[in-house]
Amino acid sequence: KRVGDDVNVAGMSNDLVFVYPYDATLSVQKPSIPVLSTGFVSYPLNRPVCAFCELPSGGRLVVTGSCHLFEDHWLPKEENATLQDIVFRWLLHDKDIVLNEIDARNPDVNDYNFVPEVRSLSEHPKNCVQESEEPPKDFRSLFTEDLFRFDMRLIPETLALYEQLNEKQKPLTLIEPEFERPLPLLQPAVLPPALRDLP
């Protein structure tokens, strides 16, 4: 998990790796501001896990999806102690910790995608293969010969079209094929004989 660019701390990097055990993501609405997100290496991607809220009266509130984040067992892991220091300093109105206004207005978090309950769906399987009829004893009846036919039964209709279109019936002629020649025609090269000079 990583801290985004929402919080500016004097003398600290904006990337902060922390361990987030027994976690849950949050759905954050204004005036709250998501500060920590799951990042792009964990699932669900870029979902808020911690949010800050500052009330008009001056009070401040921090909400996380896991209270185990700051327990004694997890505090020395990664940079959880540094994260705890940042959160407590923000709650105590430390002037060194300032929220980035641009990222606070438009945080880089993904919308929540609802996933169906896979466990209950697995208990109600649906048939995806239909039962077919038994094949006939003569398997040759399964072949359809109507798709391609080579016979003369359409010739009378073709000849009748000449009369309907007032065209003279002429015998068909052969169209000479034209082949593409990438090179010109070859001609035999006739070279004069090479005679040796006299001594």
Side-chain angles (χ1 to χ4, degrees):
K1 321 279 185 180
R2 290 186 178 273
V3 177
D5 296 333
D6 297 339
V7 181
N8 290 335
V9 183
M12 289 185 122
S13 172
N14 285 337
D15 273 348
L16 185 66
V17 181
F18 62 96
V19 179
Y20 190 61
Y22 311 107
D23 59 340
T25 58
L26 305 174
S27 294
V28 180
Q29 297 177 354
K30 291 184 178 181
S32 300
I33 300 167
V35 178
L36 303 178
S37 68
T38 56
F40 60 89
V41 294
S42 59
Y43 186 81
L45 303 176
N46 292 331
R47 289 291 300 153
V49 294
C50 180
F52 288 178
C53 181
E54 187 168 4
L55 303 175
S57 61
R60 291 186 172 182
L61 177 68
V62 174
V63 177
T64 63
S66 174
C67 62
H68 301 280
L69 182 63
F70 302 125
E71 283 186 354
D72 294 338
H73 178 69
W74 299 102
L75 203 56
K77 307 288 184 186
E78 298 294 338
E79 298 179 72
N80 283 19
T82 307
L83 179 61
Q84 179 195 24
D85 183 49
I86 294 172
V87 170
F88 288 171
R89 286 168 59 189
W90 184 81
L91 286 171
L92 295 172
H93 298 273
D94 191 343
K95 294 181 180 179
D96 290 338
I97 299 179
V98 181
L99 292 179
N100 190 335
E101 292 295 330
I102 296 174
D103 290 328
R105 283 195 302 263
N106 299 315
D108 187 19
V109 292
N110 294 342
D111 294 333
Y112 186 73
N113 294 326
F114 291 96
V115 179
E117 190 176 353
V118 180
R119 180 179 174 187
S120 63
L121 290 175
S122 66
E123 296 174 357
H124 304 288
K126 294 183 179 180
N127 294 333
C128 60
V129 179
Q130 294 180 345
E131 295 181 4
S132 61
E133 299 177 358
E134 292 185 10
K137 293 181 180 178
D138 185 12
F139 68 91
R140 291 177 292 179
S141 63
L142 296 174
F143 297 110
T144 57
E145 298 178 356
D146 298 334
L147 298 177
F148 175 78
R149 181 174 294 184
F150 190 77
D151 57 13
M152 309 286 256
R153 61 190 179 95
L154 294 178
I155 290 181
E157 295 179 15
T158 307
L159 295 176
L161 285 175
Y162 282 105
E163 297 178 4
Q164 294 177 4
L165 298 174
N166 296 326
E167 290 288 329
K168 294 181 180 179
Q169 185 176 352
K170 298 177 182 177
L172 298 177
T173 59
L174 181 65
I175 300 174
E176 293 184 6
E178 294 183 4
F179 299 105
E180 293 183 3
R181 298 181 183 133
L183 297 174
L185 294 175
L186 299 178
Q187 296 179 353
V190 180
L191 301 174
L195 300 175
R196 298 179 67 182
D197 294 336
L198 295 173

